[in-house]
Amino acid sequence: MKAEKMMNRRSLGRVALCIAASAAFSLPLSALAADEAPDALIKRLSADVLNTVKSDKAIQAGDLSKVIALVDKTVMPNVNFRRMTAAAVGPAWRKATPEQRQRLQSEFKTLLVHTYAGAASQVKDQVIEYLPSRARATDSDVVVRTVVKGKGDPIQLNYRLEKAGNAWKVYDVNVLGAWLVQTH
C-alpha cells in the first residue's frame, strides 16, 4: 500500500512538472496583453497546455521530436532562459565564455525537454487549483502558487515570474517544494 501511494505521488509529481513546464512555455508572451496579471497568465496558459497535451498523443507518448518542436517554438519567448541557466550554473556562469554559456543553455534545455517528455505521458485528469495572489500591483518579481490535484496527494506547483518590459516571464518553477533551477 505504501509503495502504491509513493508511486501515485511520483506520477503526480511528474504530471505537475509537465504542467509547470508546459504552462511556463506554452504561448509567446508578446501575444499577451501587457496588463495581464501574472496569476491570470499562468491560469490561462495552464488551461491551454493541459488541453494541448491531452489531445496530442505523440507528446503523451514522449515523442522527443514533438516535444523539442514545442519547446523551440514556445520556451524561448516565454521564459528568461538565460537567467534560469545562469542561476542553475551558479558562480561559474560569470567565468564562462560566451560559447560555454551557449553550450550550458543548450544542455539545460535538453535536460528540461527530457524531463517534460517523461512527464507528458502522465497527464490524465488533473485539476489545477489557483491559490490567492500575494503580489502587489507594483511588484516586478512574483510567485504564482497553484496546487495540482489528481490521484494521490495534491502537488504544490509554484512559478516565479519577473516583469520584463510590459510582459511577465517565468524564470523558475517549484514542484513539491523544490525550485527547478536551484535543484539543477
Side-chain angles (χ1 to χ4, degrees):
M1 185 66 163
K2 187 173 185 175
E4 182 179 314
K5 186 174 183 175
M6 184 94 146
M7 191 63 145
N8 282 341
R9 186 156 176 83
R10 187 175 301 139
S11 294
L12 193 53
R14 286 185 186 136
V15 169
L17 183 57
C18 177
I19 292 167
S22 299
F25 311 138
S26 67
L27 294 173
L29 284 175
S30 59
L32 302 175
D35 60 352
E36 184 172 32
D39 53 345
L41 168 68
I42 295 298
K43 186 174 185 176
R44 182 172 53 78
L45 294 177
S46 296
D48 183 59
V49 167
L50 279 176
N51 291 336
T52 301
V53 171
K54 286 178 182 179
S55 67
D56 191 322
K57 300 296 182 198
I59 289 176
Q60 290 176 19
D63 182 334
L64 279 180
S65 65
K66 291 274 293 207
V67 173
I68 290 168
L70 174 66
V71 169
D72 282 341
K73 178 181 175 188
T74 61
V75 170
M76 297 310 165
N78 294 305
V79 300
N80 185 336
F81 201 71
R82 183 170 203 249
R83 179 176 178 177
M84 288 179 82
T85 306
V89 172
W93 178 262
R94 289 187 293 278
K95 297 176 186 173
T97 66
E99 294 79 23
Q100 289 170 326
R101 288 178 179 183
Q102 188 59 42
R103 177 71 192 264
L104 286 164
Q105 287 183 80
S106 176
E107 293 299 325
F108 193 59
K109 175 184 169 189
T110 299
L111 171 70
L112 294 177
V113 166
H114 284 274
T115 300
Y116 173 76
S121 64
Q122 304 294 319
V123 173
K124 303 285 185 258
D125 297 319
Q126 286 69 31
V127 176
I128 302 173
E129 178 183 329
Y130 301 90
L131 303 176
S133 175
R134 297 179 183 170
R136 295 182 305 263
T138 57
D139 287 345
S140 60
D141 193 284
V142 301
V143 175
V144 174
R145 301 174 308 125
T146 70
V147 176
V148 179
K149 295 181 176 181
K151 290 184 179 178
D153 295 333
I155 302 293
Q156 168 193 339
L157 180 60
N158 301 329
Y159 304 84
R160 282 186 176 149
L161 295 94
E162 66 180 348
K163 188 80 172 211
N166 290 332
W168 289 95
K169 291 203 176 213
V170 174
Y171 69 90
D172 205 352
V173 177
N174 179 309
V175 180
L176 293 170
W179 289 101
L180 179 68
V181 170
Q182 290 174 347
T183 302
H184 292 308

